[in-house]
Amino acid sequence: GETLMALDSALNELGKFDERKTKIIELRYFGGLDQEEIGLALGISPATIRREQRKAEIWLRSFMSGVRSGPSAAVQDHHEGP
């Protein structure tokens, strides 16, 4: 329904500036993979997957609750580029 459409819109928006976080969310919630499986699939450590997933979930909740913003400190790591 409406929530699924909002989630799809939020994932599309997140994907515009952070494809890796979008992929992690898709693999976790739509693919049914656990964090270790996602790490193996993407070549990333499970600790990084957990951190990226948390940041993505925070951003998605904010976006879906009406806060329409671009990349924020909650989503981007300090070592990532623009």
Side-chain angles (χ1 to χ4, degrees):
E2 203 170 299
T3 302
L4 189 57
M5 289 176 58
L7 177 58
D8 183 57
S9 175
L11 282 170
N12 285 333
E13 192 65 28
L14 178 61
K16 290 178 183 178
F17 62 88
D18 199 323
E19 291 181 29
R20 183 166 82 175
K21 285 182 181 66
T22 302
K23 188 60 135 174
I24 289 169
I25 294 296
E26 289 172 344
L27 290 172
R28 179 72 182 110
Y29 293 103
F30 300 108
L33 277 66
D34 65 28
Q35 291 170 337
E36 287 193 18
E37 293 169 325
I38 296 168
L40 289 172
L42 299 180
I44 304 169
S45 75
T48 299
I49 296 297
R50 282 190 292 277
R51 184 174 61 248
E52 297 282 275
Q53 182 180 331
R54 271 195 312 270
K55 290 178 182 181
E57 289 168 346
I58 290 167
W59 189 91
L60 290 167
R61 277 193 293 273
S62 294
F63 185 90
M64 291 175 68
S65 70
V67 179
R68 303 292 197 271
S69 62
S72 69
V75 174
Q76 288 199 336
D77 292 323
H78 295 292
H79 66 274
E80 290 181 7

